[in-house]
Amino acid sequence: MGSVFNPWKRYFLNDAFYKPGGPVFLITSGEGAATGIAASRNITWMTYAERLGALFLILEHRFYGESQPTGWTWYKYSTCFQNIHFYFIVKLMLSSIFSTLIIATNSMYLSFNYRDLSTASLHYLSSRQALADIVNFRTEIARKLGLTENKWVTFGGSYGGSLAVWSRIKHPNLFAAAVSSSAPIQAKLNFYEFNEVIGRILSAHNSECPKAVKEAFAILVQMLKRRKYYSKVKKDFRLCEPIKIHSPRETAFLMENMIHLVQSFVHKQVNKVIKGEPEEINIDTLCDNMTDASLGSPYDRLTKIVHLFLKSKHKRCISTNYSEEVEELSNSSLDYLRMKYDRQWFYQCCTEFGFFKTTESKNQPFSGTPLRFFFHTCSDVFGPKFGRDLAVWGVRNTNKYYGGFNVIGSKIIFSNGSNDPWHRLGIIKDISKDLPAVFIKGEGHCADALEQDDTDSAELIEVREKIFQILQKWLKQ
């Protein structure tokens, strides 16, 4: 297995199971660095590669991880001497004056830190550009490695799954099939359905739980409309800063943080990829407390949940400073050692996908984050033109270009879990014999693609085998 810069696109290659003439599996990464997955032989797609004698490739998405197309071209040289590795990272095509030189112990990083993630640079960040990268990579690697006659299959999870699907739809001559997991196929501005699924999960656990959460949030929203309650709310919820007067964006940001806090208690039901949550942060703790009348009103119970969360995370208070959030999202410097991806993904949401998780639905338990809050944040971070009009145009244009739910093509597998809120923007029913869908009851985000585990349900195991059998059949045709 190796990782390569070519020259700025990073990719991983694993030929451990490859048999000459076998298929080529190309995993299209999404909004994150392409790391970790390459080292695991127990993820489902790697087991498929072993059974089919496939070459396994992972392509990193532009502007994520170390694949930076503007300003920097990466070349990486590694040599080993007495168990000490020296990495010389050479940056070419410098478009502005460097400001920082970083040297790390046992590794040498030449890091010229400048504003590579500026809005001007992010103009080149889009799913269409990523698709062009995928096509170019597939063509060049096939030529260089003698894989032009092999059958190529795209794989991907979440946004990476969308790219896998769209690669097959747009370039069926280059890709023989596609396998997607939890892939949103329809772009949508007002993604209120996300919180509806969270409400349904809570209701399935305890029918009174989402009712209590909804009442608590409604009370909090009303209190935030009256200045006299500001100090009480700050004290009760242990906020880090005083609440600003007449600041709708500040209060909406506070409510968004509260929603994320509650959602963290259902992470095991929604997304098993999330690691490191304390044992006490679970749906039982949430619902047991929210339905315990002895703790006081639903508002009082919600404060108890916040206190439990802070204690488990060893935190003193909850940040509600919207200005600091905007400042962080506006930071356009590229720091190789501490790369974050919030700015890049938010840019894609503001310009082509939406996916704004609002509370504008009566069928969910939260309050306080209207769609306009996200439009305002887009413009506050990226500039005045990045507001409602651009977001509306971008989402409409995305669905027009890719087709949205109106999928036209063949040999594409769609997999989703019923506990994954993203399934509401995916394909959960067969479109045709050559466009099958598998919908897994009780499973969360990308469950079928994760590492196999002894605790996997019988249905999940069966779905994985079903996907393999379909893929194997297609590759024999």
Side-chain angles (χ1 to χ4, degrees), residues 323-384:
S323 298
E324 285 186 2
E325 175 72 3
V326 169
E327 182 179 356
E328 183 173 334
L329 287 172
S330 301
N331 186 349
S332 60
S333 65
L334 183 74
D335 188 332
Y336 172 70
L337 295 180
R338 295 175 292 277
M339 176 65 75
K340 291 187 69 175
Y341 311 111
D342 294 348
R343 174 173 169 81
Q344 296 97 302
W345 180 240
F346 191 56
Y347 178 87
Q348 289 192 263
C349 290
C350 292
T351 57
E352 58 177 333
F353 296 132
F355 297 155
F356 300 128
K357 302 164 188 174
T358 76
T359 55
E360 294 183 358
S361 167
K362 295 180 180 180
N363 299 318
Q364 52 83 41
F366 306 114
S367 307
T369 55
L371 184 57
R372 64 179 177 275
F373 164 69
F374 297 96
F375 292 150
H376 289 319
T377 307
C378 287
S379 59
D380 286 344
V381 171
F382 299 110

Side-chain angles (χ1 to χ4, degrees), residues 258-295:
M258 289 298 172
I259 293 170
H260 290 164
L261 187 151
V262 171
Q263 288 175 347
S264 69
F265 284 80
V266 296
H267 77 278
K268 290 181 180 179
Q269 285 73 23
V270 174
N271 193 347
K272 293 180 181 178
V273 175
I274 299 175
K275 305 293 184 181
E277 288 288 6
E279 284 300 315
E280 59 268 31
I281 302 299
N282 58 60
I283 195 169
D284 290 321
T285 301
L286 174 67
C287 289
D288 286 351
N289 281 276
M290 288 306 301
T291 57
D292 186 352
S294 69
L295 297 176

